[in-house]
Amino acid sequence: MAAVFTLLGVECDFSKFSEDGRVLLGISRERGESIANETEAFLAADALPPGSTAKFAGRLAFATSWAAGRLGRPVLRPIFDQTLRDGARQFSPLLPSVRGALAFLIEVK
């Protein structure tokens, strides 16, 4: 059996289990890179496109749910707030708080 496998988008690493009983859980490197690339594109465009903002915020929430102490939740608040505020508007320029949150998430990837 493989020491590392992915189940429902969660990477489960049992390689340390026999040593000290640890199982490491998180998103795959590929998923992290995909989210980082999408985040960088939003920053470069200085906008959150309509229709994809809520989906993107959900992906970020899932990706950061594995951080110790739920580190990512407070950082996501501005993104969710802008999503709720703007709804289905055609163009949604980034609020300064959202720009800062996205920049932070890229740094900690």
Side-chain angles (χ1 to χ4, degrees):
M1 184 161 133
V4 179
F5 64 95
T6 303
L7 177 66
L8 298 174
V10 178
E11 191 172 271
C12 306
D13 183 348
F14 285 88
S15 63
K16 304 286 184 199
F17 187 74
S18 63
E19 292 174 26
D20 56 18
R22 284 188 299 153
V23 177
L24 305 174
L25 302 171
I27 62 170
S28 69
R29 181 178 310 280
E30 294 82 19
R31 179 169 281 200
E33 289 297 322
S34 170
I35 291 171
N37 290 340
E38 192 173 3
T39 302
E40 289 170 348
F42 289 149
L43 282 169
D46 195 34
L48 292 172
S52 64
T53 306
K55 180 181 175 184
F56 176 67
R59 289 179 68 207
L60 284 174
F62 180 79
T64 60
S65 66
W66 304 102
R70 298 174 84 150
L71 169 72
R73 288 189 70 91
V75 176
L76 297 179
R77 186 79 254 157
I79 299 166
F80 280 111
D81 288 347
Q82 181 161 348
T83 300
L84 293 172
R85 186 196 74 165
D86 295 342
R89 285 179 34 183
Q90 289 186 333
F91 179 76
S92 180
L94 295 179
L95 298 171
S97 59
V98 174
R99 198 174 304 108
L102 294 176
F104 173 80
L105 290 168
I106 289 172
E107 287 296 316
V108 297
K109 74 173 182 170

